Each structure stands twice: as structure tokens, then as C-alpha cells.
Amino acid sequence: MTAAEKLEWKRRAFTAITAPIPQAIRIGSAVASAQYRDDAAVCAAFVRRGVQPDRAKVACLRLEGQQGRL
């Protein structure tokens, strides 16, 4: 992952974790909300420290999909 790609994924991850939590997640199952929370934690760690870029990329795509932004 180049520096430009990493910066782009950090921007996407930041946007994903600062977006409002979708209604379907808030009133949905405990499993869906736990996965959303875990994905948000992975993205937050990537934005703060730049750790686990591959895992954060997948988590970011999952968050964007759940938010309807893909």
C-alpha cells in the first residue's frame, strides 16, 4: 500500500466512523450491532495509529456498505 493509498483509506475510514449509525443497526440484531462496533474500532485504530491496514480496509468497506454509501 503506497502512502497515497493509505491516506485515501484513512480518509474513508474517518468518514465511515464519523457518519451517523444507521437505523437498521440501532434497532437490528445484537450480532449486527456488535459487528458494526468492532468494524468501527478497527477503523478508528487505523486512523489514529495506522495499524492493520488490510483489516481496516475490509472493515471500512463493511461500514460503508451498512451505511449505504457503496
Side-chain angles (χ1 to χ4, degrees):
M1 183 180 283
T2 65
E5 289 174 331
K6 193 171 185 179
L7 187 62
E8 173 65 20
W9 279 105
K10 279 189 174 187
R11 184 194 62 76
R12 285 179 73 171
F14 181 77
T15 303
I17 59 176
T18 56
I21 298 172
Q23 182 74 10
I25 300 298
R26 277 188 270 147
I27 63 172
S29 69
V31 174
S33 60
Q35 182 183 17
Y36 190 89
R37 182 192 65 230
D38 293 344
D39 288 341
V42 169
C43 287
F46 177 65
V47 168
R48 280 194 305 265
R49 299 186 307 270
V51 295
Q52 298 178 330
D54 295 333
R55 187 172 177 209
K57 194 175 187 180
V58 172
C60 182
L61 288 172
R62 248 192 321 252
L63 284 177
E64 288 176 345
Q66 290 172 333
Q67 293 167 355
R69 295 187 307 118
L70 279 181

